[in-house]
Amino acid sequence: MLIDSPTHRPGPSDTTAAPRRRHDDAPDTAALFTRLTTLEDGPERDAVRDELVTAWLPMAHRIAGRFRDRGEAVEDLRQVAALGLVKAIDRFDPSRGAFESYAVPTITGEVKRHFRDRMWALRVPRRVQELRNKVRVARRELTQHPGSPEPSVAAVAAHTGLTEEEVGAGMEALESFSTLSLDAELSSDDDGYSLADTLGAADASYDTVVDRESAKEGLRRLPERERAILYMRFFEDMTQSRIADRLGISQMHVSRLISRSCARVRADAMGQRTGRRGTGGHSATA
């Protein structure tokens, strides 16, 4: 169980203070780690593991604090760092050195992965994220001296060894970490407009064009009278009764011809699509 626990710090009354470590939150837990490796899964091992987590949790919180003010709540960062701490404890081999040397990069990597994988408002491919990081570091290094101008794409490319196209992709990704609302005002005038007002919409006429082109071949294959009936019904907007009167046939017959013609045109259009998908095959006749 992960809990917050205060770390004891030597006070003025401590007369026999231990030698100072690199960090005050690096406790001596070598004996606990040695014991952990000898225990099988069970309540005793879980208790030792929880004791180690509690002892090292202040260090995990310190590492999480390095990433504050980057758009993520500190408490969430602490939870991510605590998860990295648990992973470090589970994977640590006491025979390979000090736990702190292993845990710090493990916890730091867990927090960085959290930012990389979960903090993007717009999801971008992993390679583009890596380009973004290289470009960001290069721009910082090229402008570290006061008064340095903003580096050009060519300068960043020369500094990183990337192509200018890759630098361009990385610079675009710099703006992908956060998004702009569609309701954001783009003009401060009285007739101001939002970002959504500048976006286009799908034209419904495209579907009509596609359907019309698909039906052309089937319509050409219909008998002349059936083509005439469809023209009068759907282009001249004539009723079936008027069509029947003009052709001297019954309204019921007109209705059957319209239904049969439409079914034939539809089948022709669907058959053409199926034929296109199967043009790569071969057929044989017995």
Side-chain angles (χ1 to χ4, degrees):
M1 180 178 66
L2 303 182
I3 58 174
D4 290 338
S5 59
T7 303
H8 174 73
R9 301 176 184 271
S13 60
D14 293 334
T15 56
T16 57
R20 288 183 60 84
R21 298 177 179 274
R22 181 181 178 185
H23 295 292
D24 293 335
D25 52 20
D28 184 3
T29 54
L32 283 175
F33 274 112
T34 301
R35 183 182 174 195
L36 186 70
T37 59
T38 64
L39 296 174
E40 299 290 338
D41 290 341
E44 187 178 358
R45 188 180 192 281
D46 291 341
V48 174
R49 183 170 175 262
D50 288 346
E51 188 175 350
L52 285 167
V53 170
T54 302
W56 287 96
L57 197 58
M59 183 194 70
H61 289 174
R62 169 170 56 83
I63 294 173
R66 299 175 185 172
F67 297 87
R68 67 174 66 245
D69 301 326
R70 297 193 186 185
E72 183 69 302
V74 175
E75 288 304 317
D76 291 338
L77 291 175
R78 286 187 169 190
Q79 288 298 318
V80 174
L83 176 61
L85 171 63
V86 172
K87 290 181 178 180
I89 291 174
D90 288 341
R91 300 170 184 172
F92 177 60
D93 181 358
S95 66
R96 299 181 68 92
F99 175 69
E100 185 177 11
S101 300
Y102 177 77
V104 170
T106 301
I107 297 171
T108 303
E110 191 70 25
V111 177
K112 288 182 177 180
R113 276 191 295 274
H114 174 76
F115 278 95
R116 183 191 67 198
D117 297 336
R118 300 184 181 275
M119 292 299 294
W120 290 78
L122 179 64
R123 185 64 177 164
V124 298
R126 177 72 56 81
R127 169 162 171 73
V128 177
Q129 293 183 29
E130 293 172 352
L131 292 176
R132 170 191 179 273
N133 291 334
K134 290 181 179 179
V135 169
R136 178 174 57 81
V137 171
R139 291 175 66 180
R140 184 177 64 221
E141 292 174 350
L142 292 171
T143 58
Q144 60 183 344
H145 300 295
S148 299
E150 185 68 21
S152 64
V153 172
V156 174
H159 186 77
T160 58
L162 301 172
T163 66
E164 292 190 10
E165 290 76 10
E166 289 173 330
V167 172
M171 294 181 73
E172 289 180 1
L174 287 172
E175 306 299 328
S176 299
F177 200 77
S178 60
T179 55
L180 184 64
S181 170
L182 291 176
D183 295 325
E185 291 289 336
L186 298 183
S187 173
S188 57
D189 300 335
D190 293 337
D191 58 346
Y193 55 90
S194 68
L195 179 60
D197 296 329
T198 67
L199 303 179
D203 193 333
S205 298
Y206 289 145
D207 291 336
T208 303
V209 172
V210 172
D211 292 341
R212 182 177 296 170
E213 292 300 314
S214 299
K216 275 185 177 180
E217 188 62 30
L219 288 170
R220 292 192 186 100
R221 296 177 182 175
L222 290 176
E224 184 177 352
R225 185 174 71 164
E226 292 184 19
R227 288 204 307 271
I229 290 174
L230 292 181
Y231 184 82
M232 287 185 283
R233 178 69 187 92
F234 295 109
F235 289 88
E236 295 187 348
D237 202 24
M238 293 175 61
T239 63
Q240 293 183 12
S241 298
R242 287 185 59 193
I243 296 172
D245 291 342
R246 176 174 293 187
L247 299 179
I249 58 179
S250 68
Q251 179 182 342
M252 183 64 70
H253 191 35
V254 170
S255 178
R256 284 197 296 267
L257 289 173
I258 291 175
S259 297
R260 186 176 67 187
S261 301
C262 289
R264 187 178 299 172
V265 171
R266 184 181 300 108
D268 259 356
M270 297 303 295
Q272 288 176 21
R273 294 175 187 173
T274 304
R276 292 191 188 101
R277 288 197 295 267
T279 52
H282 298 277
S283 61
T285 56

